[in-house]
Amino acid sequence: MIKIENLHKQFEDLEVLKGIDLSIERGKTAVIIGPSGSGKTTLLRCLNLLEIPNQGTLTIENQSVTFTNRKLKTSEIMPIRKKTGMVFQNYNLFPHLTAIENIMEGQIIVLKRSKEKARKKALDLLEKVGLKDRADMYPHQLSGGQQQRIGIARAMAMDPDVLLFDEPTSALDPELVGDVLKVMKDLAEEGMTMVVVTHEMSFAQNVADQVIFMDQGVVAEKGTPKEIFEETQNPRTLQFLNKVT
Ligand code: ADP
């Protein structure tokens, strides 16, 4: 489903991604872990071209782009962006729209769905994330955990091939984290393809098919949760896990 080959990204003189190679299979959940500043968020943002890599190739569902330090055309960016849905750390909901309007907006504007069809889809998704009774509330009337579940429903409404999560629970009070992780776990079990940057090691352990450990702009190690959390001999992985678990 996703193939990343020799991906490089730099911000001026700072090389943040130093040649990333990864494959993520359809229907699987990849969880990216690693120290702060190792390039996790930048990699995720490169997957939907919110950041444009300097070198390498990205393929999502038979749609390929090769980066050669050039500005991409909108016609190259849009097909990739349409295949991905992004869930942000700070939810990024439209504050002037209600929960259901937030979930309808992209469907109407980008996918050109009728209002009626968009509303039906939004209601189904609100039910899925357990917030049907909050449809007409504005973001400021919802808890962080509820806002994030709306964020997930909004991303799902666009029928993406893959969902990208950028530290989706790190802005939440601890008691609200569980509800969001539960929605993500349900999606993973239903066979959604997901790439998740998170500090929630228990989520990585229990839900990931593939755990990717990043350190200083490279994939230092990748494997199953068992390989990474129980069997690793890699000193960098061990040092990181000793700090966070
Ligand atoms: P992580 O998600 O692992 O904490 P990030 O991908 O957010 O790491 O950041 C990796 C490095 O890239 C950091 O040193 C960060 O300061 C830098 N960085 C990220 N985004 C930008 C940007 N837009 N401009 C300049 N530097 C950036």
Side-chain angles (χ1 to χ4, degrees):
M1 166 77 77
I2 304 180
K3 195 158 188 219
I4 302 162
E5 295 163 274
N6 191 31
L7 202 78
H8 288 255
K9 173 68 186 174
Q10 58 195 63
F11 294 109
E12 297 179 356
D13 289 344
L14 182 68
E15 196 177 23
V16 175
L17 300 178
K18 303 171 183 169
I20 305 285
D21 292 284
L22 282 174
S23 296
I24 295 155
E25 286 173 48
R26 180 180 292 113
K28 303 287 186 192
T29 295
V31 175
I32 305 176
I33 61 171
S36 185
S38 57
K40 304 181 298 295
T41 291
T42 302
L43 174 60
L44 197 76
R45 290 170 63 85
C46 283
L47 293 185
N48 76 344
L49 304 181
L50 278 176
E51 299 291 353
I52 306 297
N54 298 90
Q55 275 181 61
T57 302
L58 170 66
T59 308
I60 302 184
E61 270 284 287
N62 306 324
Q63 190 81 42
S64 262
V65 202
T66 295
F67 310 102
T68 49
N69 274 316
R70 68 195 165 93
K71 201 166 178 312
L72 293 186
K73 298 189 211 101
T74 311
S75 62
E76 293 174 290
I77 294 176
M78 285 322 283
I80 293 274
R81 205 164 277 168
K82 277 191 176 169
K83 291 179 184 296
T84 59
M86 184 73 133
V87 177
F88 297 91
Q89 184 174 357
N90 293 311
Y91 336 125
N92 287 12
L93 298 180
F94 300 114
H96 59 291
L97 298 181
T98 62
I100 194 166
E101 287 166 352
N102 263 282
I103 304 170
M104 292 168 63
E105 181 84 354
Q107 299 187 63
I108 294 168
I109 307 279
V110 181
L111 302 182
K112 313 284 180 213
R113 280 189 188 142
S114 68
K115 226 173 161 176
E116 202 179 326
K117 210 170 159 199
R119 177 173 293 276
K120 180 169 183 325
K121 175 110 186 164
L123 282 170
D124 288 348
L125 286 164
L126 279 165
E127 177 139 43
K128 197 180 180 83
V129 300
L131 291 173
K132 210 167 181 179
D133 57 341
R134 301 287 196 277
D136 297 320
M137 293 199 168
Y138 287 88
H140 76 269
Q141 298 173 306
L142 300 168
S143 73
Q146 291 168 340
Q147 289 186 56
Q148 190 57 296
R149 281 144 67 198
I150 300 295
I152 294 171
R154 182 179 60 174
M156 290 289 295
M158 306 300 282
D159 293 327
D161 292 297
V162 51
L163 271 186
L164 310 174
F165 294 83
D166 184 11
E167 301 192 17
T169 59
S170 55
L172 297 176
D173 291 334
E175 73 272 22
L176 302 177
V177 169
D179 287 346
V180 172
L181 293 180
K182 167 81 170 54
V183 168
M184 292 168 64
K185 186 164 189 259
D186 289 348
L187 288 174
E189 282 169 1
E190 284 168 24
M192 188 71 210
T193 309
M194 318 207 306
V195 184
V196 183
V197 172
T198 188
H199 297 290
E200 294 290 334
M201 293 301 135
S202 61
F203 180 83
Q205 251 166 323
N206 297 327
V207 182
D209 296 291
Q210 180 179 205
V211 179
I212 295 155
F213 172 61
M214 283 189 70
D215 194 22
Q216 297 181 26
V218 299
V219 174
E221 192 177 8
K222 62 188 177 208
T224 63
K226 190 162 185 275
E227 284 166 341
I228 300 293
F229 290 104
E230 294 171 35
E231 299 172 353
T232 185
Q233 302 290 327
N234 182 318
R236 289 156 88 178
T237 312
L238 285 169
Q239 192 192 19
F240 173 72
L241 291 177
N242 279 335
K243 273 196 198 144
V244 297
T245 53

